Amino acid sequence: MKPHLCLFLACVSLLNAQDKPKDPFIKDKKAPSAAAAAADPLSVADPSAPDAPKNILCFAETFTLSQADYAALLDAPEGRDNLYKLVQAAVKAGSARLDGCHLMTSKSNTRSTVESVDELIFPTNWTPADRTGFQYPTAFEMRQMGDRFEFEADLNSENGTLSVTHVFKRDRLLGVRLAKADSTLAGVPVMDVFARQGPSTCRLVPGLPTLISTLKCVQPGDITLVFATAEVITFKVPKAPATKGTGNVFLTARVISLDRMKGWELLKKHAKDGAACLAELKPMIAANEAALEHLATINVQSGVRATHESGLIHYYGTEFAPPTEGTPAQPGEDPNKPGTPARPAGLAGTTAFEARNLGFRLELEPTVSEDTGFADLTLAPEFVSMTGNLKDKNWNEHYPDVPVFTNQKITTGYTQLLGTTHLIGTMNPPGDTGVNEHKDEGRIWLLFMDMNLE
């Protein structure tokens, strides 16, 4: 009996061991994780799934420091691998400064741009000189002074890396000088522009800040480092549409400005979560630490382009009649016929105008997929202001008035889940452009989009 009893007890023990539940702590760990995945629209079980919508988020930061400090950072132990962290530490220590912070949301193989510029309009053609050497402008061109970032990423579905074609441009007006055909004459004004850009194609690892280019500075001995951090945001495809309605897309855009350093810290925390970022900004607006610059709503059907415009229409001259010299009377050769009468000198005049819409303008087109609860949105929001006419000691008082426009603009396309708030990117005012002695305001503007289906 004893051997059978021992065998029975062993079998019971084995059955109890098999029926024993798993570690409850392991079970509890899995449960919240699954719940979080279900609640998080920016997660998916298989990020490489072809039916999962994806956005590409690009965060561009520019830091200026001395070339000597930059060389020391490179030569430090593991300096190249930890360059971004070392630069951040230099910003906190005061030996480097953050002078640019741009964000944009896009999709794979979609070209997007961010512009924070002063538009410098300058003459390129002149009339022949009169007897005093005076010349009058007859044709103009425009060049953007400030920051312009163009970005297009190609997502590799096999390894998750991004092949990025990019160019970061930063032009600055150094001044206006006089170009002379004759050293004894006054000459005509010519714009001296300090141009910087670094077009290239490189590979980015999502989430890893990467130095994509360096720019020489106007200040001798300084250098600007351009870092880009790309993120691949993969949405979880819901089992049922988030909202159902008649098909009208209700879109509300908000532009909020704040101090650049505060905005920088905010973007490092909430760049991928528009709702959380907006929630943190609302108390700052109430405390006057941030400002609501623009608020606009558009109600439009899917697949239809819509525009919101609000601002002054500014008319300005684009073609001019130059001043003319007077001519004395000329007697006729035939005494029986009158001669040519004297012609007085003619003043300059404006012969053609163009109009520029100032204020906030939003052009967009949503395309809703009601069976998935997502919408693809292409948009081009911009804010245009006039900062006065071009002024310089070498701009003759007899030349025409030439306006200086400031343009803050994003052009992009991305995917958004219906019923959510999305942080699209930045619409920053330009920095130190040199146009009319424009100085850096140290501000950052954030663009949010609420999207709902009515």
Side-chain angles (χ1 to χ4, degrees):
M1 294 293 294
K2 287 184 178 180
H4 295 286
L5 179 61
C6 292
L7 181 61
F8 174 75
L9 293 175
C11 292
V12 171
S13 300
L14 180 61
L15 290 172
N16 288 338
Q18 291 177 342
D19 296 339
K20 185 178 180 180
K22 295 180 180 179
D23 188 343
F25 292 99
I26 296 178
K27 182 177 180 182
D28 289 344
K29 290 179 181 178
K30 288 186 177 180
S33 176
D40 184 6
L42 303 182
S43 65
V44 68
D46 183 9
S48 63
D51 58 343
K54 298 177 180 64
N55 283 334
I56 308 296
L57 187 71
C58 184
F59 188 32
E61 305 159 88
T62 61
F63 303 93
T64 298
L65 67 165
S66 70
Q67 292 185 135
D69 287 345
Y70 174 50
L73 295 181
L74 290 177
D75 296 337
E78 300 182 354
R80 295 181 186 274
D81 296 332
N82 296 318
L83 182 60
Y84 182 74
K85 293 182 179 179
L86 295 175
V87 171
Q88 284 189 309
V91 172
K92 294 181 179 179
S95 57
R97 69 179 186 276
L98 174 75
D99 55 14
C101 185
H102 306 283
L103 178 75
M104 72 173 79
T105 304
S106 184
K107 292 190 296 186
S108 180
N109 297 312
T110 298
R111 182 170 297 182
S112 301
T113 57
V114 173
E115 299 175 15
S116 303
V117 296
D118 283 329
E119 297 177 349
L120 176 64
I121 301 174
F122 57 95
T124 54
N125 288 82
W126 300 80
T127 60
D130 62 15
R131 287 178 296 178
T132 65
F134 180 78
Q135 295 179 257
Y136 199 77
T138 59
F140 296 82
E141 289 185 3
M142 187 274 287
R143 186 172 183 128
Q144 295 179 331
M145 300 291 111
D147 289 359
R148 187 180 191 275
F149 183 43
E150 189 171 342
F151 174 91
E152 182 176 347
D154 180 15
L155 176 62
N156 189 320
S157 59
E158 295 181 358
N159 57 26
T161 60
L162 293 163
S163 178
V164 178
T165 300
H166 63 85
V167 56
F168 187 94
K169 299 179 64 176
R170 176 174 286 180
D171 290 356
R172 187 183 188 279
L173 177 65
L174 295 183
V176 181
R177 61 181 172 85
L178 294 174
K180 301 182 179 182
D182 184 331
S183 60
T184 64
L185 303 178
V188 296
V190 175
M191 308 297 158
D192 282 335
V193 176
F194 193 79
R196 293 160 285 177
Q197 62 175 317
S200 180
T201 299
C202 61
R203 182 164 295 175
L204 298 184
V205 177
L208 181 65
T210 303
L211 180 66
I212 60 172
S213 66
T214 62
L215 308 174
K216 190 171 180 61
C217 294
V218 176
Q219 185 69 26
D222 284 355
I223 190 171
T224 297
L225 312 182
V226 183
F227 284 89
T229 306
E231 297 278 3
V232 179
I233 302 176
T234 305
F235 291 89
K236 180 177 180 181
V237 179
K239 295 181 179 179
T243 58
K244 294 183 179 180
T246 60
N248 287 338
V249 187
F250 198 77
L251 298 154
T252 298
R254 310 181 199 207
V255 181
I256 299 173
S257 70
L258 69 160
D259 175 76
R260 180 185 293 144
M261 293 302 294
K262 293 180 180 179
W264 181 49
E265 296 292 342
L266 188 64
L267 289 179
K268 288 194 291 184
K269 292 192 301 181
H270 298 307
K272 296 188 291 183
D273 191 343
C277 187
L278 183 59
E280 191 164 334
L281 279 168
K282 288 180 178 178
M284 299 176 66
I285 295 175
N288 293 324
E289 297 176 0
L292 179 62
E293 299 287 349
H294 302 286
L295 181 65
T297 296
I298 292 178
N299 195 348
V300 63
Q301 289 183 336
S302 175
V304 178
R305 180 169 296 184
T307 302
H308 165 89
E309 293 182 349
S310 54
L312 177 70
I313 300 178
H314 180 77
Y315 289 90
Y316 62 100
T318 55
E319 295 181 14
F320 306 92
T324 57
E325 296 185 79
T327 57
Q330 298 290 334
E333 296 181 358
D334 187 348
N336 298 323
K337 295 182 180 180
T340 303
R343 187 183 66 180
L347 301 178
T350 305
T351 59
F353 286 86
E354 287 187 6
R356 185 68 182 271
N357 291 336
L358 306 182
F360 185 68
R361 186 178 190 274
L362 174 60
E363 184 176 355
L364 53 79
E365 182 177 340
T367 303
V368 176
S369 176
E370 295 190 30
D371 56 337
T372 63
F374 291 96
D376 290 328
L377 186 66
T378 58
L379 73 164
E382 67 177 340
F383 175 67
V384 180
S385 58
M386 181 187 171
T387 57
N389 293 318
L390 180 65
K391 297 179 181 179
D392 189 89
K393 62 180 181 181
N394 290 323
W395 189 257
N396 194 295
E397 62 179 351
H398 295 290
Y399 294 152
D401 288 338
V402 175
V404 176
F405 298 108
T406 295
N407 196 9
Q408 304 164 224
K409 184 176 182 179
I410 296 179
T411 305
T412 190
Y414 71 99
T415 300
Q416 184 167 341
L417 181 65
L418 296 172
T420 64
T421 298
H422 195 86
L423 172 59
I424 299 174
T426 54
M427 295 178 60
N428 301 331
D432 183 7
T433 66
V435 182
N436 285 359
E437 300 181 352
H438 188 161
K439 300 300 182 182
D440 187 4
E441 300 175 15
R443 303 282 290 180
I444 183 172
W445 289 29
L446 304 180
L447 171 64
F448 296 87
M449 182 67 73
D450 300 335
M451 179 183 291
N452 294 279
L453 191 65
E454 285 194 328

